[in-house]
């Protein structure tokens, strides 16, 4: 977190971290500062010290408040696609739905394109998203539409046979062969993952509304197990799907 004494009084801080509450946490820690929410839609993986690989495309999104205008202009001038949005809460919930694949990908041990090309892994993600969408609805939040398909239809598309899925989702799933989730990188380098601030948020939200999210809760447990030395970090699609469907 930036140190309050090192910021100019007119500084604008934008949080591009995953999760729903980072902007609020920054506001709490930086009283008086202008803090805006942002969102990074694409996958970035650390491939070597000082080297990062962008495996998917998309435009940065951030709060469309007037205070963001100078940053939007600077990013545009630098050639970075950026899109101001008026309803960042809905955008962040939509990104959280996307982030639910991070744990599935991490436990698959596969590049994103290969993992998303396999129906059993996609079914795991569909189960997770259905629980999340139910929790969002109970909270009165309709996630923003970030791609060609409304969020509520995504679980149905994920369950399609592989050939049909590739035809329908091709435009929205341009993923290069090397892309993988940052959570997989965390596991391989022995770092704590962000599972609690992502999938754990879905579990907490659902339970707060009296719902039961067994699939997401189970994945939280599996990732925490994988974080431990000697923990299992590689699951086939059928194995993971079977584990998530266990009562």
């Amino acid at each position: 977190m930036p140190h309050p004494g090192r910021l100019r009084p007119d500084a604008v801080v934008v949080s591009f971290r995953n999760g729903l509450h980072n902007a609020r946490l920054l506001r709490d820690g930086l009283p008086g500062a202008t803090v805006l929410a942002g969102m990074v839609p694409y996958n970035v993986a650390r491939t070597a010290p000082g080297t990062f690989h962008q495996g998917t495309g998309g435009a940065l999104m951030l709060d469309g408040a007037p205070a963001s205008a100078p940053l939007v202009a600077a990013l545009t001038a630098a050639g970075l696609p950026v899109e101001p949005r008026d309803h960042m809460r809905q955008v962040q919930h939509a990104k959280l739905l996307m982030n639910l694949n991070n744990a599935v990908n991490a436990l698959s041990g596969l590049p994103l394109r290969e993992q998303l090309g396999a129906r059993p892994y996609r079914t795991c993600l569909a189960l997770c998203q259905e629980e999340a969408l139910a929790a969002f609805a109970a909270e009165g939040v309709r996630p923003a539409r970030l791609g060609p398909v409304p969020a509520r239809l995504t679980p149905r598309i994920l369950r399609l046979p592989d050939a049909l899925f590739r035809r329908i989702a091709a435009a929205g799933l341009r993923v290069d062969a090397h892309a993988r989730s940052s959570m997989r990188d965390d596991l391989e380098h022995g770092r704590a993952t962000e599972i609690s601030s992502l999938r754990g948020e879905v579990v907490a939200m659902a339970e707060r509304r009296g719902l039961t999210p067994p699939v997401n809760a189970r994945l939280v447990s599996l990732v925490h197990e994988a974080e431990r030395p000697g923990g299992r970090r590689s699951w086939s699609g059928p194995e993971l799907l079977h584990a998530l469907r266990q009562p």
Side-chain angles (χ1 to χ4, degrees):
M1 179 179 292
H3 192 282
R6 297 175 183 171
L7 292 177
R8 287 172 27 182
D10 61 344
V12 176
V13 179
V14 180
S15 171
F16 283 105
R17 287 196 63 182
N18 288 329
L20 302 178
H21 306 299
N22 292 304
R24 176 181 58 78
L25 293 173
L26 282 170
R27 292 187 191 103
D28 292 343
L30 300 171
T34 299
V35 178
L36 304 177
M39 190 275 283
V40 179
Y42 40 77
N43 166 268
V44 177
R46 184 174 184 265
T47 56
T51 304
F52 297 87
H53 176 76
Q54 180 181 334
T56 56
L60 295 169
M61 297 182 187
L62 71 160
D63 194 313
S68 70
L71 178 58
V72 170
L75 291 171
T76 301
L80 288 172
V82 58
E83 182 181 340
R85 298 288 291 249
D86 292 331
H87 304 288
M88 282 304 299
R89 184 168 182 247
Q90 289 89 331
V91 169
Q92 289 177 313
H93 280 73
K95 178 63 187 299
L96 181 56
L97 279 178
M98 296 166 57
N99 285 144
L100 293 181
N101 189 55
N102 289 3
V104 178
N105 178 256
L107 295 176
S108 76
L110 300 173
L112 275 168
R113 188 164 70 185
E114 186 176 349
Q115 176 248 312
L116 287 170
R119 193 180 190 183
Y121 287 124
R122 293 198 310 274
T123 303
C124 293
L125 176 57
L127 292 171
C128 296
Q129 289 192 348
E130 285 170 343
E131 289 183 355
L133 286 166
F136 294 172
E139 290 270 302
V141 178
R142 177 179 292 181
R145 182 169 177 168
L146 301 182
V149 178
R152 60 184 173 81
L153 297 181
T154 304
R156 297 184 189 179
I157 294 174
L158 289 169
R159 284 190 168 91
L160 292 173
D162 290 341
L164 186 56
F165 173 79
R166 284 193 293 269
R167 291 183 62 183
I168 291 177
L173 282 174
R174 294 191 177 95
V175 182
D176 73 26
H178 304 290
R180 60 182 185 175
S181 73
S182 58
M183 191 172 292
R184 182 66 191 182
D185 290 338
D186 290 337
L187 290 179
E188 291 186 353
H189 290 88
R191 298 187 295 257
T193 70
E194 56 183 359
I195 189 70
S196 295
S197 62
L198 296 179
R199 193 173 304 275
E201 177 64 35
V202 172
V203 174
M205 188 186 306
E207 292 177 344
R208 187 165 62 243
R209 293 294 176 175
L211 303 175
T212 303
V215 175
N216 283 286
R218 177 66 173 144
L219 265 171
V220 170
S221 297
L222 291 178
V223 172
H224 282 318
E225 177 186 336
E227 289 175 331
R228 294 192 290 269
R232 183 174 180 178
R233 298 179 179 177
S234 182
W235 297 72
S236 72
E239 288 173 336
L240 186 59
L241 183 57
H242 178 74
L244 297 183
R245 282 176 165 166
Q246 291 301 300

